[in-house]
Amino acid sequence: MKKGEKPFVLGLLGDGQLAQMTALAARSLGMKTHVFASSRENPAAFVADEVTLGDLADEKALVAFAKSVDALTYDTENLPYETICQAAAHAPAYPDPNVLHIAQHRIRERTFLSSLGVPIPNVAYVTSEEQCQHAAHSFTFPGVLKTAAFGYDGKGQRVVREAGALRTAWRDLGEQPCVLEAFVDFEREMSVIVARAQTGEMQTFGVIDNEHRNHILHASVSPSSLPSSVKQEAQRIAQTIAASLDLVGLLAVEMFATTDGRVLVNELAPRPHNSGHVTQRANALSQFHKLCLAASGQALGEIDARPGVMINLLGDLFPKGTKPVYRHVGFLEPPLTVASGATISTYFYGKKEARNGRKMGHLIAVADTVEKAYEAAAHAYQMYVHAATAAGGVRV
Ligand SMILES: Nc1ncnc2c1ncn2[C@@H]1O[C@H](COP(=O)(O)OP(=O)(O)O)[C@@H](O)[C@H]1O
Ligand SMILES: [Mg+2]
Protein backbone atom coordinates (compact mmCIF):
# COMPACT_ATOMS: atom_id res chain seq x y z
CA MET A 1 0.00 0.00 0.00
CA LYS A 2 1.33 3.44 -0.95
CA LYS A 3 1.61 6.19 1.65
CA GLY A 4 -1.61 8.15 2.02
CA GLU A 5 -3.64 5.51 0.17
CA LYS A 6 -6.82 4.38 1.90
CA PRO A 7 -6.46 0.79 3.19
CA PHE A 8 -8.60 -1.90 1.60
CA VAL A 9 -11.49 -2.87 3.89
CA LEU A 10 -12.47 -6.54 3.85
CA GLY A 11 -15.97 -7.30 5.16
CA LEU A 12 -16.29 -10.59 7.06
CA LEU A 13 -19.62 -12.38 7.26
CA GLY A 14 -19.41 -14.83 10.13
CA ASP A 15 -17.52 -14.23 13.35
CA GLY A 16 -15.85 -17.52 14.27
CA GLN A 17 -12.21 -18.55 14.35
CA LEU A 18 -11.90 -18.69 10.55
CA ALA A 19 -12.94 -15.04 10.30
CA GLN A 20 -10.65 -14.21 13.22
CA MET A 21 -7.62 -15.71 11.49
CA THR A 22 -8.60 -14.00 8.24
CA ALA A 23 -8.76 -10.66 10.08
CA LEU A 24 -5.30 -11.14 11.58
CA ALA A 25 -3.86 -12.08 8.18
CA ALA A 26 -5.53 -9.03 6.62
CA ARG A 27 -3.91 -6.81 9.24
CA SER A 28 -0.47 -8.26 8.51
CA LEU A 29 -1.03 -7.35 4.85
CA GLY A 30 -1.92 -3.74 5.71
CA MET A 31 -5.65 -4.22 5.15
CA LYS A 32 -8.54 -3.39 7.48
CA THR A 33 -11.42 -5.67 8.44
CA HIS A 34 -15.02 -5.01 9.35
CA VAL A 35 -16.88 -7.98 10.79
CA PHE A 36 -20.64 -8.54 10.79
CA ALA A 37 -20.97 -10.37 14.09
CA SER A 38 -23.74 -11.80 16.22
CA SER A 39 -21.89 -11.00 19.45
CA ARG A 40 -18.88 -8.97 20.61
CA GLU A 41 -17.77 -12.09 22.48
CA ASN A 42 -17.18 -14.09 19.30
CA PRO A 43 -13.64 -14.75 18.01
CA ALA A 44 -13.58 -12.41 14.99
CA ALA A 45 -15.33 -9.56 16.81
CA PHE A 46 -12.49 -8.89 19.22
CA VAL A 47 -9.76 -8.71 16.59
CA ALA A 48 -11.48 -6.88 13.70
CA ASP A 49 -10.93 -3.16 13.15
CA GLU A 50 -14.66 -2.54 13.11
CA VAL A 51 -17.66 -4.54 14.27
CA THR A 52 -21.30 -4.35 13.23
CA LEU A 53 -23.64 -6.37 15.41
CA GLY A 54 -26.58 -7.88 13.60
CA ASP A 55 -28.43 -10.87 12.26
CA LEU A 56 -27.19 -12.38 8.99
CA ALA A 57 -30.79 -12.79 7.85
CA ASP A 58 -31.39 -9.01 8.13
CA GLU A 59 -31.14 -7.88 4.50
CA LYS A 60 -31.20 -4.14 5.25
CA ALA A 61 -28.39 -4.45 7.78
CA LEU A 62 -26.34 -6.60 5.42
CA VAL A 63 -26.73 -4.19 2.52
CA ALA A 64 -25.64 -1.27 4.75
CA PHE A 65 -22.67 -3.36 5.89
CA ALA A 66 -21.73 -4.18 2.26
CA LYS A 67 -21.77 -0.46 1.40
CA SER A 68 -19.14 0.16 4.09
CA VAL A 69 -16.54 -2.33 2.78
CA ASP A 70 -14.50 -2.92 -0.41
CA ALA A 71 -15.22 -6.66 -0.68
CA LEU A 72 -17.05 -9.37 1.24
CA THR A 73 -15.97 -12.83 2.27
CA TYR A 74 -17.37 -15.39 4.71
CA ASP A 75 -16.30 -18.07 7.15
CA THR A 76 -19.28 -20.42 6.81
CA GLU A 77 -21.47 -21.70 3.97
CA ASN A 78 -24.56 -21.56 6.16
CA LEU A 79 -25.60 -18.10 5.00
CA PRO A 80 -28.91 -16.99 3.48
CA TYR A 81 -28.18 -17.05 -0.27
CA GLU A 82 -30.72 -14.42 -1.40
CA THR A 83 -29.56 -11.98 1.25
CA ILE A 84 -25.92 -12.48 0.32
CA CYS A 85 -26.83 -11.78 -3.33
CA GLN A 86 -28.44 -8.48 -2.27
CA ALA A 87 -25.32 -7.55 -0.30
CA ALA A 88 -23.03 -8.62 -3.16
CA ALA A 89 -24.68 -6.03 -5.40
CA HIS A 90 -22.93 -3.38 -3.25
CA ALA A 91 -19.54 -5.01 -2.64
CA PRO A 92 -18.16 -7.98 -4.56
CA ALA A 93 -18.36 -11.23 -2.55
CA TYR A 94 -15.51 -13.73 -2.82
CA PRO A 95 -16.11 -16.52 -3.58
CA ASP A 96 -19.15 -15.55 -5.65
CA PRO A 97 -22.55 -16.29 -4.03
CA ASN A 98 -23.19 -18.88 -6.76
CA VAL A 99 -20.32 -20.95 -5.37
CA LEU A 100 -21.82 -20.60 -1.90
CA HIS A 101 -25.19 -21.71 -3.28
CA ILE A 102 -23.72 -24.96 -4.62
CA ALA A 103 -21.60 -25.73 -1.55
CA GLN A 104 -24.36 -25.09 0.99
CA HIS A 105 -26.60 -27.87 -0.31
CA ARG A 106 -25.36 -31.42 -0.77
CA ILE A 107 -27.84 -32.24 -3.55
CA ARG A 108 -26.74 -29.23 -5.64
CA GLU A 109 -23.12 -30.04 -4.80
CA ARG A 110 -23.41 -33.67 -5.97
CA THR A 111 -25.29 -32.65 -9.12
CA PHE A 112 -22.61 -30.08 -9.93
CA LEU A 113 -19.70 -32.47 -9.31
CA SER A 114 -21.33 -35.17 -11.44
CA SER A 115 -21.88 -32.68 -14.26
CA LEU A 116 -18.11 -32.06 -14.27
CA GLY A 117 -17.40 -35.79 -14.36
CA VAL A 118 -15.70 -35.57 -10.95
CA PRO A 119 -15.73 -38.94 -9.13
CA ILE A 120 -17.94 -38.99 -6.01
CA PRO A 121 -19.30 -41.84 -3.84
CA ASN A 122 -22.47 -43.49 -5.19
CA VAL A 123 -25.40 -41.35 -4.19
CA ALA A 124 -29.21 -41.40 -3.98
CA TYR A 125 -31.39 -38.45 -3.00
CA VAL A 126 -33.94 -38.84 -0.22
CA THR A 127 -36.37 -35.94 -0.28
CA SER A 128 -39.72 -37.77 -0.18
CA GLU A 129 -41.35 -40.93 1.11
CA GLU A 130 -41.22 -42.42 -2.41
CA GLN A 131 -37.50 -41.70 -2.82
CA CYS A 132 -36.83 -43.18 0.61
CA GLN A 133 -38.64 -46.40 -0.36
CA HIS A 134 -36.93 -46.50 -3.73
CA ALA A 135 -33.48 -46.04 -2.15
CA ALA A 136 -34.22 -48.81 0.37
CA HIS A 137 -34.80 -51.17 -2.59
CA SER A 138 -32.12 -50.10 -5.01
CA PHE A 139 -29.18 -48.69 -3.00
CA THR A 140 -26.19 -50.84 -2.10
CA PHE A 141 -25.72 -50.56 1.67
CA PRO A 142 -23.94 -49.65 3.94
CA GLY A 143 -24.43 -45.94 3.35
CA VAL A 144 -24.26 -42.61 5.10
CA LEU A 145 -27.43 -40.50 5.20
CA LYS A 146 -26.65 -36.77 5.41
CA THR A 147 -28.95 -33.78 5.61
CA ALA A 148 -28.57 -31.70 2.46
CA ALA A 149 -28.00 -28.48 4.41
CA PHE A 150 -26.50 -27.20 7.68
CA GLY A 151 -24.23 -30.15 8.54
CA TYR A 152 -20.82 -29.72 10.15
CA ASP A 153 -18.42 -31.89 12.17
CA GLY A 154 -20.52 -34.95 11.32
CA LYS A 155 -23.75 -33.38 12.63
CA GLY A 156 -26.85 -34.29 10.62
CA GLN A 157 -25.46 -37.70 9.57
CA ARG A 158 -26.41 -41.31 10.22
CA VAL A 159 -24.59 -44.45 9.11
CA VAL A 160 -27.20 -46.79 7.61
CA ARG A 161 -25.99 -50.39 7.64
CA GLU A 162 -28.91 -52.01 5.83
CA ALA A 163 -32.00 -51.17 3.82
CA GLY A 164 -34.31 -51.82 6.79
CA ALA A 165 -32.65 -49.05 8.83
CA LEU A 166 -33.07 -46.28 6.25
CA ARG A 167 -36.59 -45.16 7.16
CA THR A 168 -35.70 -44.78 10.85
CA ALA A 169 -32.49 -42.91 10.04
CA TRP A 170 -34.42 -40.48 7.83
CA ARG A 171 -36.97 -39.93 10.61
CA ASP A 172 -34.11 -39.30 13.06
CA LEU A 173 -32.88 -36.56 10.72
CA GLY A 174 -36.29 -34.89 10.75
CA GLU A 175 -37.27 -36.12 7.26
CA GLN A 176 -35.30 -33.22 5.80
CA PRO A 177 -33.97 -33.47 2.24
CA CYS A 178 -30.97 -35.81 2.44
CA VAL A 179 -28.32 -37.51 0.35
CA LEU A 180 -27.67 -41.19 0.88
CA GLU A 181 -24.04 -41.93 0.04
CA ALA A 182 -22.17 -45.19 -0.24
CA PHE A 183 -20.05 -45.77 2.85
CA VAL A 184 -16.49 -45.40 1.55
CA ASP A 185 -13.87 -47.84 2.73
CA PHE A 186 -11.16 -45.23 2.52
CA GLU A 187 -7.44 -45.56 2.87
CA ARG A 188 -7.04 -41.89 3.70
CA GLU A 189 -8.99 -38.66 3.99
CA MET A 190 -7.31 -35.65 2.47
CA SER A 191 -8.00 -32.12 1.33
CA VAL A 192 -6.73 -29.79 -1.32
CA ILE A 193 -7.17 -26.08 -0.68
CA VAL A 194 -7.16 -24.05 -3.86
CA ALA A 195 -6.53 -20.30 -3.89
CA ARG A 196 -7.50 -18.41 -7.02
CA ALA A 197 -6.93 -14.73 -7.80
CA GLN A 198 -9.09 -12.34 -9.82
CA THR A 199 -6.69 -12.80 -12.76
CA GLY A 200 -7.28 -16.58 -12.74
CA GLU A 201 -3.87 -17.25 -11.12
CA MET A 202 -4.29 -20.50 -9.22
CA GLN A 203 -2.28 -22.17 -6.44
CA THR A 204 -2.82 -25.06 -4.06
CA PHE A 205 -1.22 -25.95 -0.75
CA GLY A 206 -0.64 -29.45 -2.08
CA VAL A 207 -2.46 -32.43 -0.61
CA ILE A 208 -3.05 -32.45 3.14
CA ASP A 209 -3.81 -35.71 5.00
CA ASN A 210 -6.63 -35.50 7.51
CA GLU A 211 -7.36 -37.71 10.50
CA HIS A 212 -10.80 -37.48 12.10
CA ARG A 213 -11.88 -38.55 15.58
CA ASN A 214 -15.61 -38.78 16.34
CA HIS A 215 -16.29 -37.12 12.94
CA ILE A 216 -14.26 -34.06 13.98
CA LEU A 217 -10.93 -33.23 12.39
CA HIS A 218 -8.16 -34.23 14.78
CA ALA A 219 -4.92 -33.83 12.82
CA SER A 220 -3.76 -32.53 9.44
CA VAL A 221 -0.44 -33.44 7.89
CA SER A 222 1.22 -31.47 5.10
CA PRO A 223 2.46 -32.75 2.73
CA SER A 224 0.40 -35.93 2.38
CA SER A 225 2.27 -39.24 2.36
CA LEU A 226 0.04 -40.69 -0.39
CA PRO A 227 1.70 -41.87 -3.62
CA SER A 228 2.46 -38.98 -5.95
CA SER A 229 0.08 -40.31 -8.65
CA VAL A 230 -2.84 -40.09 -6.17
CA LYS A 231 -1.76 -36.62 -5.05
CA GLN A 232 -1.54 -35.40 -8.63
CA GLU A 233 -5.02 -36.70 -9.35
CA ALA A 234 -6.38 -35.03 -6.18
CA GLN A 235 -4.85 -31.70 -7.17
CA ARG A 236 -6.05 -31.99 -10.74
CA ILE A 237 -9.61 -32.61 -9.54
CA ALA A 238 -9.54 -29.71 -7.06
CA GLN A 239 -8.18 -27.29 -9.67
CA THR A 240 -10.74 -28.44 -12.25
CA ILE A 241 -13.54 -27.70 -9.77
CA ALA A 242 -12.11 -24.29 -8.81
CA ALA A 243 -11.57 -23.22 -12.41
CA SER A 244 -15.03 -24.33 -13.53
CA LEU A 245 -16.58 -22.29 -10.68
CA ASP A 246 -14.46 -19.30 -11.79
CA LEU A 247 -13.46 -19.15 -8.14
CA VAL A 248 -11.97 -16.05 -6.58
CA GLY A 249 -10.76 -16.75 -3.04
CA LEU A 250 -10.46 -20.17 -1.44
CA LEU A 251 -12.05 -23.53 -2.11
CA ALA A 252 -11.32 -26.52 0.13
CA VAL A 253 -12.03 -29.85 -1.51
CA GLU A 254 -12.40 -32.75 0.95
CA MET A 255 -11.61 -36.11 -0.59
CA PHE A 256 -11.21 -39.81 0.09
CA ALA A 257 -8.38 -41.95 -1.28
CA THR A 258 -9.91 -45.41 -1.57
CA THR A 259 -8.10 -48.66 -0.80
CA ASP A 260 -8.13 -49.42 -4.55
CA GLY A 261 -6.32 -46.20 -5.45
CA ARG A 262 -9.25 -43.97 -6.54
CA VAL A 263 -9.89 -40.40 -5.49
CA LEU A 264 -13.49 -39.47 -4.57
CA VAL A 265 -14.68 -36.00 -3.66
CA ASN A 266 -16.55 -35.81 -0.35
CA GLU A 267 -17.47 -32.14 -0.04
CA LEU A 268 -16.61 -28.55 -0.95
CA ALA A 269 -16.08 -25.57 1.34
CA PRO A 270 -15.66 -22.15 -0.34
CA ARG A 271 -13.79 -20.63 2.61
CA PRO A 272 -10.75 -21.21 4.83
CA HIS A 273 -10.73 -24.79 6.06
CA ASN A 274 -9.66 -26.35 9.36
CA SER A 275 -7.19 -28.61 7.53
CA GLY A 276 -5.52 -25.47 6.16
CA HIS A 277 -4.58 -24.12 9.60
CA VAL A 278 -1.27 -25.93 9.17
CA THR A 279 -0.42 -23.38 6.44
CA GLN A 280 -0.15 -20.66 9.13
CA ARG A 281 3.24 -22.04 10.11
CA ALA A 282 4.16 -24.48 7.33
CA ASN A 283 3.77 -22.06 4.41
CA ALA A 284 5.25 -18.69 3.58
CA LEU A 285 1.73 -17.29 3.25
CA SER A 286 -1.25 -19.05 4.88
CA GLN A 287 -4.67 -19.84 3.43
CA PHE A 288 -5.92 -16.71 5.22
CA HIS A 289 -3.33 -14.49 3.52
CA LYS A 290 -4.20 -15.95 0.11
CA LEU A 291 -7.90 -15.24 0.70
CA CYS A 292 -7.15 -11.61 1.58
CA LEU A 293 -4.84 -11.20 -1.43
CA ALA A 294 -7.42 -12.70 -3.82
CA ALA A 295 -10.30 -10.65 -2.38
CA SER A 296 -8.31 -7.41 -2.69
CA GLY A 297 -7.32 -8.06 -6.30
CA GLN A 298 -3.67 -8.87 -5.65
CA ALA A 299 -1.39 -11.67 -6.84
CA LEU A 300 -1.25 -14.75 -4.60
CA GLY A 301 2.44 -14.44 -3.73
CA GLU A 302 4.83 -17.02 -2.36
CA ILE A 303 4.00 -20.72 -2.00
CA ASP A 304 7.08 -22.05 -0.15
CA ALA A 305 6.21 -24.88 2.25
CA ARG A 306 7.84 -26.85 5.06
CA PRO A 307 6.51 -30.11 6.51
CA GLY A 308 3.89 -29.35 9.14
CA VAL A 309 1.31 -31.04 11.36
CA MET A 310 -1.74 -29.40 12.96
CA ILE A 311 -3.75 -30.86 15.84
CA ASN A 312 -7.04 -29.39 17.03
CA LEU A 313 -7.53 -28.52 20.70
CA LEU A 314 -11.16 -29.20 21.62
CA GLY A 315 -13.23 -28.05 24.57
CA ASP A 316 -12.93 -31.54 26.05
CA LEU A 317 -9.45 -30.53 27.27
CA PHE A 318 -10.73 -27.62 29.38
CA PRO A 319 -11.95 -27.72 32.99
CA LYS A 320 -15.66 -28.48 33.06
CA GLY A 321 -18.07 -25.78 34.12
CA THR A 322 -15.50 -22.97 34.12
CA LYS A 323 -15.01 -20.13 31.69
CA PRO A 324 -11.54 -20.10 30.13
CA VAL A 325 -9.47 -17.04 30.95
CA TYR A 326 -6.93 -16.23 28.25
CA ARG A 327 -3.71 -14.37 28.62
CA HIS A 328 -3.41 -14.34 24.88
CA VAL A 329 -5.60 -14.86 21.82
CA GLY A 330 -3.85 -15.94 18.62
CA PHE A 331 -0.42 -17.54 18.57
CA LEU A 332 1.46 -17.84 21.82
CA GLU A 333 4.87 -16.34 21.02
CA PRO A 334 7.61 -17.32 20.76
CA PRO A 335 7.08 -20.85 19.42
CA LEU A 336 8.63 -23.68 21.40
CA THR A 337 11.67 -25.35 19.83
CA VAL A 338 12.24 -28.97 20.84
CA ALA A 339 15.36 -31.15 20.69
CA SER A 340 14.65 -32.51 17.18
CA GLY A 341 14.64 -28.92 15.89
CA ALA A 342 10.83 -28.91 15.39
CA THR A 343 9.00 -25.76 16.45
CA ILE A 344 5.57 -25.89 18.03
CA SER A 345 3.11 -22.98 17.96
CA THR A 346 -0.15 -22.93 19.88
CA TYR A 347 -3.12 -20.79 18.88
CA PHE A 348 -6.24 -20.11 20.98
CA TYR A 349 -9.41 -18.54 19.54
CA GLY A 350 -10.48 -16.90 22.79
CA LYS A 351 -13.90 -18.58 22.94
CA LYS A 352 -15.66 -17.73 26.16
CA GLU A 353 -17.09 -21.16 26.77
CA ALA A 354 -15.52 -24.61 26.40
CA ARG A 355 -17.85 -27.43 25.38
CA ASN A 356 -17.00 -31.00 24.41
CA GLY A 357 -16.28 -31.18 20.68
CA ARG A 358 -15.97 -27.39 20.36
CA LYS A 359 -12.86 -26.17 18.57
CA MET A 360 -10.97 -23.92 21.03
CA GLY A 361 -7.57 -23.72 19.39
CA HIS A 362 -4.91 -25.72 17.59
CA LEU A 363 -1.23 -26.44 17.65
CA ILE A 364 1.12 -26.62 14.69
CA ALA A 365 4.51 -28.28 14.57
CA VAL A 366 6.90 -27.63 11.69
CA ALA A 367 10.19 -29.40 11.08
CA ASP A 368 12.51 -30.46 8.30
CA THR A 369 10.64 -33.78 7.93
CA VAL A 370 6.99 -34.76 8.33
CA GLU A 371 8.00 -37.46 10.80
CA LYS A 372 9.68 -34.95 13.13
CA ALA A 373 6.73 -32.56 12.81
CA TYR A 374 4.30 -35.39 13.60
CA GLU A 375 6.26 -36.53 16.62
CA ALA A 376 6.52 -33.00 18.02
CA ALA A 377 2.82 -32.27 17.45
CA ALA A 378 1.74 -35.59 18.99
CA HIS A 379 3.98 -34.99 21.99
CA ALA A 380 2.73 -31.46 22.54
CA TYR A 381 -0.86 -32.70 22.21
CA GLN A 382 -0.20 -35.40 24.81
CA MET A 383 0.91 -32.68 27.21
CA TYR A 384 -2.49 -31.01 26.81
CA VAL A 385 -4.26 -34.34 27.29
CA HIS A 386 -2.18 -34.94 30.39
CA ALA A 387 -3.04 -31.49 31.73
CA ALA A 388 -6.69 -32.24 31.06
CA THR A 389 -6.69 -35.52 32.96
CA ALA A 390 -4.16 -34.79 35.72
CA ALA A 391 -4.96 -31.18 36.49
CA GLY A 392 -8.67 -31.14 35.68
CA GLY A 393 -8.21 -29.23 32.42
CA VAL A 394 -5.94 -26.97 30.43
CA ARG A 395 -5.50 -23.45 31.73
CA VAL A 396 -4.32 -21.09 29.03
N1 LIG B 1 -19.53 -41.65 2.47
C1 LIG B 1 -18.73 -41.74 3.53
N2 LIG B 1 -18.05 -42.88 3.81
C2 LIG B 1 -17.25 -42.98 4.90
N3 LIG B 1 -17.06 -41.98 5.78
C3 LIG B 1 -17.70 -40.81 5.57
C4 LIG B 1 -18.56 -40.63 4.43
N4 LIG B 1 -19.06 -39.37 4.46
C5 LIG B 1 -18.53 -38.79 5.56
N5 LIG B 1 -17.72 -39.63 6.23
C6 LIG B 1 -16.95 -39.31 7.48
O1 LIG B 1 -17.61 -38.29 8.22
C7 LIG B 1 -16.84 -37.08 8.22
C8 LIG B 1 -17.76 -35.86 8.12
O2 LIG B 1 -18.53 -35.92 6.93
P1 LIG B 1 -18.69 -34.73 5.90
O3 LIG B 1 -19.54 -35.19 4.79
O4 LIG B 1 -17.34 -34.20 5.55
O5 LIG B 1 -19.55 -33.69 6.71
P2 LIG B 1 -19.19 -32.42 7.60
O6 LIG B 1 -17.70 -32.20 7.52
O7 LIG B 1 -19.97 -31.34 6.94
O8 LIG B 1 -19.69 -32.77 8.93
C9 LIG B 1 -15.90 -37.23 7.03
O9 LIG B 1 -14.76 -36.41 7.17
C10 LIG B 1 -15.61 -38.72 7.08
O10 LIG B 1 -14.68 -39.03 8.10
MG1 LIG C 1 -16.40 -32.43 5.97
Side-chain angles (χ1 to χ4, degrees):
M1 194 174 59
K2 292 191 202 87
K3 207 167 168 224
E5 215 173 86
K6 239 177 100 240
F8 189 94
V9 181
L10 183 61
L12 300 167
L13 302 175
D15 56 13
Q17 66 266 25
L18 300 177
Q20 178 187 76
M21 290 182 267
T22 306
L24 294 178
R27 178 170 302 156
S28 76
L29 294 167
M31 297 163 57
K32 296 242 179 265
T33 51
H34 186 171
V35 64
F36 192 89
S38 60
S39 156
R40 275 190 201 281
E41 304 258 280
N42 288 348
F46 47 79
V47 305
D49 296 291
E50 209 177 319
V51 180
T52 293
L53 290 180
D55 181 346
L56 284 164
D58 180 347
E59 190 177 303
K60 245 172 91 181
L62 226 57
V63 165
F65 175 77
K67 286 180 179 166
S68 77
V69 301
D70 294 311
L72 292 165
T73 191
Y74 30 81
D75 83 340
T76 167
E77 45 275 15
N78 293 331
L79 293 168
Y81 170 67
E82 315 282 334
T83 315
I84 301 302
C85 288
Q86 294 300 325
H90 301 277
Y94 300 118
D96 188 89
N98 290 328
V99 179
L100 183 75
H101 194 239
I102 291 171
Q104 68 183 191
H105 198 274
R106 292 190 200 271
I107 295 181
R108 286 195 290 269
E109 188 179 74
R110 307 284 128 162
T111 312
F112 164 72
L113 292 170
S114 299
S115 75
L116 287 185
V118 165
I120 58 171
N122 257 341
V123 65
Y125 301 143
V126 178
T127 66
S128 65
E129 198 61 54
E130 294 71 42
Q131 280 183 338
C132 188
Q133 276 182 24
H134 184 258
H137 286 115
S138 57
F139 197 76
T140 309
F141 290 87
V144 186
L145 188 68
K146 305 178 179 180
T147 57
F150 300 118
Y152 72 99
D153 288 344
K155 293 188 173 59
Q157 298 193 12
R158 292 287 181 281
V159 174
V160 186
R161 304 201 184 279
E162 55 190 23
L166 180 62
R167 188 65 189 81
T168 313
W170 193 43
R171 194 186 56 213
D172 281 357
L173 294 177
E175 296 177 7
Q176 297 176 61
C178 283
V179 296
L180 173 63
E181 273 177 21
F183 189 88
V184 180
D185 179 21
F186 55 78
E187 165 83 29
R188 195 76 58 81
E189 284 198 74
M190 71 277 197
S191 51
V192 174
I193 299 171
V194 185
R196 197 162 174 275
Q198 291 173 22
T199 55
E201 177 197 5
M202 186 152 56
Q203 294 178 351
T204 79
F205 291 97
V207 180
I208 300 170
D209 285 338
N210 297 319
E211 187 191 319
H212 289 79
R213 288 189 183 171
N214 302 320
H215 302 277
I216 302 173
L217 184 68
H218 171 64
S220 294
V221 180
S222 172
S224 162
S225 60
L226 284 163
S228 63
S229 57
V230 177
K231 290 201 274 195
Q232 272 168 17
E233 177 63 357
Q235 296 209 72
R236 188 193 63 77
I237 290 172
Q239 286 175 309
T240 301
I241 297 169
S244 70
L245 289 168
D246 202 12
L247 178 81
V248 174
L250 295 176
L251 181 75
V253 184
E254 294 180 15
M255 292 179 264
F256 300 122
T258 63
T259 45
D260 57 1
R262 289 173 304 139
V263 173
L264 301 176
V265 172
N266 174 33
E267 63 171 352
L268 307 177
R271 52 165 172 79
H273 192 261
N274 194 169
S275 66
H277 294 0
V278 67
T279 65
Q280 287 180 309
R281 282 295 185 258
N283 293 74
L285 290 168
S286 71
Q287 59 170 348
F288 306 102
H289 291 102
K290 305 278 178 191
L291 173 59
C292 296
L293 291 167
S296 59
Q298 301 182 63
L300 298 176
E302 295 173 69
I303 46 170
D304 291 0
R306 298 185 67 198
V309 173
M310 186 276 329
I311 297 184
N312 273 332
L313 300 172
L314 301 184
D316 313 49
L317 297 169
F318 286 70
K320 301 288 163 275
T322 60
K323 295 212 179 280
V325 179
Y326 300 91
R327 270 170 283 147
H328 189 79
V329 170
F331 278 113
L332 288 168
E333 298 287 2
L336 185 70
T337 302
V338 295
S340 69
T343 55
I344 302 159
S345 308
T346 306
Y347 187 117
F348 284 104
Y349 311 138
K351 291 183 184 174
K352 298 290 183 280
E353 213 181 308
R355 290 191 294 273
N356 284 352
R358 191 175 198 204
K359 293 169 182 170
M360 303 298 286
H362 59 270
L363 60 86
I364 301 168
V366 291
D368 50 16
T369 66
V370 175
E371 291 72 25
K372 283 185 197 166
Y374 199 92
E375 191 182 61
H379 192 75
Y381 180 68
Q382 275 315 315
M383 285 171 32
Y384 281 105
V385 173
H386 179 73
T389 46
V394 170
R395 285 175 175 77
V396 288

